[in-house]
Amino acid sequence: MTPRTRGALPALLVTTALALTACGSPSSDAKPAAAAPSAAGRTAPDATPAAGGSSDTAVSGTAATPGPAPSLPKSPRTPKTDSLPVSVVPAGKPAKLALVTPAAARPGKSAPEASTPGLTLSSYDRQTGAAVLAPAEGAPAAGQGSAAGVRVGQLIDSPPTPAAPRGALVAVTEVKRTEGGKTAVATRPATLAELLGDSSAGLQTALDPRSITVEPQVKDLKVSFTRRADGGNGSVSTGLKLDANTKVPLPHGASVDLSGSVEIDPSIDFSYDGHALSPRQASVGFDVAARADWRVAAGIAGSAEPVRIPLAKLHATPTVMAGPVPIVVGLDLSLHATIAADGKVTVEAEQQLAADWGIRSDYAKGKGWTTKTEPGTTNISPVRARFDGSASVRTGLDLEGSVALYDAVGVKASIKPYLRAAVDGSVTVESGGGAPVVNGKAGLYGGLDIDGALMARIAILGTPLFEKEIPFAAFRREWPVVTRSTGSTAPSPAAGAAKR
């Protein structure tokens, strides 16, 4: 993970409190449990247990669970001596469109050559390449006729506009007409190799939450900002907070009362290193750190397929200035609460999560694309839990995300931390008490699933084109929190869930 992400984990980068109470089911009259204590300030151990664990292990009153694996080392982003200066354009201060001389037309010059003629991309058809440039709002009068100076071969590097919400990087193939300060052009997709040439650039940074657009997926979702407990990192000192209180139907006539809050602060990872007018190395990815509390109280009878309760979709298009040219990064995230059972069980559980994850795709000349999953540390535990019945029940959070450049190439992933209880009888766990009380057979397991793919789009980085999405090896791990039995062997971890 990035140093920024790892250092900000105690700052509640993602804090989730879910209260699920089922109605119209056998447990509809169950009393809700007390609210879980805040996870702030707690530190979970990072030791990694043997996958699967011992079938007769008892962990008394644990409030922190060892995670699945230590962080994978991340390639350092040490700026080169000739690297372009890189910064994120502040929210509310959009970057300007740049007309750029392509790398092949600036021999001996590694840095991009660009001008900002006070234009905006007012119309763009991604399918045909037809585009119209018009004077930007507030542009000085001297720039009103600048569109007439657009030439064939130039690159149009546009930040997000209504005509191109994810920005656009195109090369002018024909200037059709100029009138009224507007110029109609024909274009083709361009590449970062044409834009940046033999220069290099790299950036790892948190997103300003004020630049994130929230698309509610539950009724009456409230959006606000909170100050980080550690006072912030760099220019980003607040987190995005979502509050929800709604009722969601479950199969078989039951329903769930859902309430909770989420604080989220993702970061982006981008780098490019050019040589001989082609990429020698490139990378795109994102990081998320998480801390969460949530409660589930439900009577469940159903299949193992999880019920996914959508909370929110989040979108951001931060613009990165690499020297004089803007590079647009598109980030999409969606958050779901999940619950599933393969039998009949009554659940009343408060859970905690502390985790950090990273997904990154790297390109190296001669090797092509590889995608790395960085599971980091995942600590998930029951604060208080009671399970009655005969089933394997799984509760958790699903985070789905994708990151791309100009909506053209990138990586997507699903990250699913969860707590699974396999019971035949009853089990009660109290974080501040002694050994779990078990009547029958019971096991509690923390888990993490990560999968995804490199997205098959236009070869914006100038790398060889591939025709379909390239999946990366899925990460699957499950580890014991509590396993205990009054008689014989306790339930074991799910098959195939232990190793990557």
Side-chain angles (χ1 to χ4, degrees), residues 38 133 162 190 215 219 257 332 367 382 398 407 473 496:
S38 171
L133 297 174
E215 183 181 337
K219 186 180 179 181
D257 288 333
D332 295 288
K367 295 182 179 180
D398 288 2
D407 199 25

Side-chain angles (χ1 to χ4, degrees), residues 451-464:
D451 54 34
L454 180 67
M455 297 157 61
R457 305 283 179 87
I458 302 168
I460 190 75
L461 285 165
T463 64

Side-chain angles (χ1 to χ4, degrees), residues 108-424:
K109 299 179 180 179
S110 59
E113 295 181 348
S115 63
T116 54
L119 300 174
T120 186
L121 191 64
S122 63
S123 174
Y124 176 55
D125 187 327
R126 190 177 294 273
Q127 297 297 321
T128 65
V132 174
L133 297 174
E137 183 179 354
Q144 296 296 305
S146 298
V150 177
R151 302 185 305 276
V152 171
Q154 285 182 314
L155 305 182
I156 299 173
D157 186 7
S158 174
T161 70
R166 297 301 180 101
L169 178 60
V170 295
V172 178
T173 58
E174 180 185 358
V175 178
K176 294 184 176 181
R177 66 182 183 278
T178 298
E179 57 186 12
K182 296 183 178 181
T183 295
V185 296
T187 69
R188 63 164 176 81
T191 68
L192 283 188
E194 293 177 274
L195 179 71
L196 299 179
D198 291 345
S199 60
S200 62
L203 181 73
Q204 292 174 316
T205 185
L207 293 182
D208 186 335
R210 292 164 294 188
S211 69
I212 300 174
T213 300
V214 179
E215 183 181 337
Q217 300 296 294
V218 293
K219 186 180 179 181
D220 299 328
L221 186 75
K222 296 180 181 179
V223 181
S224 59
F225 301 100
T226 60
R227 184 166 297 278
R228 290 180 182 166
D230 63 353
N233 291 270
S235 61
V236 183
S237 60
T238 58
L240 177 66
K241 184 178 181 181
L242 310 176
D243 290 284
N245 191 343
T246 189
K247 180 173 288 188
V248 180
L250 288 179
H252 312 297
S255 64
V256 169
D257 288 333
L258 171 64
S259 64
S261 63
V262 181
E263 291 186 30
I264 188 166
D265 178 18
S267 64
I268 55 172
D269 179 357
F270 162 75
S271 70
Y272 173 90
D273 181 18
H275 178 68
L277 301 183
S278 66
R280 176 165 46 193
Q281 176 277 330
S283 178
V284 62
F286 66 92
D287 299 300
V288 177
R291 174 123 57 179
D293 299 322
W294 70 96
R295 185 178 64 82
V296 176
I300 308 168
S303 67
E305 288 298 319
V307 176
R308 304 179 77 238
I309 303 169
L311 302 177
K313 293 183 178 180
L314 302 99
H315 313 280
T317 51
T319 301
V320 176
M321 293 302 300
V325 298
I327 298 174
V328 183
V329 182
L331 181 67
D332 295 288
L333 296 171
S334 62
L335 184 66
H336 296 77
T338 61
I339 184 168
D342 58 7
K344 294 183 178 181
V345 67
T346 299
V347 181
E348 188 172 337
E350 297 174 16
Q351 302 167 206
Q352 289 184 344
L353 168 71
D356 63 317
W357 314 284
I359 305 293
R360 191 175 81 249
S361 281
D362 294 309
Y363 174 82
K365 194 168 185 177
K367 295 182 179 180
W369 283 98
T370 57
T371 302
K372 296 180 180 179
T373 302
E374 300 183 2
T377 56
T378 298
N379 301 279
I380 188 168
S381 66
V383 180
R384 300 178 183 87
R386 179 177 176 82
F387 301 89
D388 292 286
S390 180
S392 179
V393 59
R394 171 170 162 163
T395 57
L397 301 172
D398 288 2
L399 177 72
E400 296 178 351
S402 66
V403 63
L405 302 176
Y406 300 97
D407 199 25
V409 68
V411 61
K412 65 179 185 180
S414 296
I415 303 169
K416 303 175 182 178
Y418 64 87
L419 184 69
R420 185 176 69 89
V423 297
D424 186 4

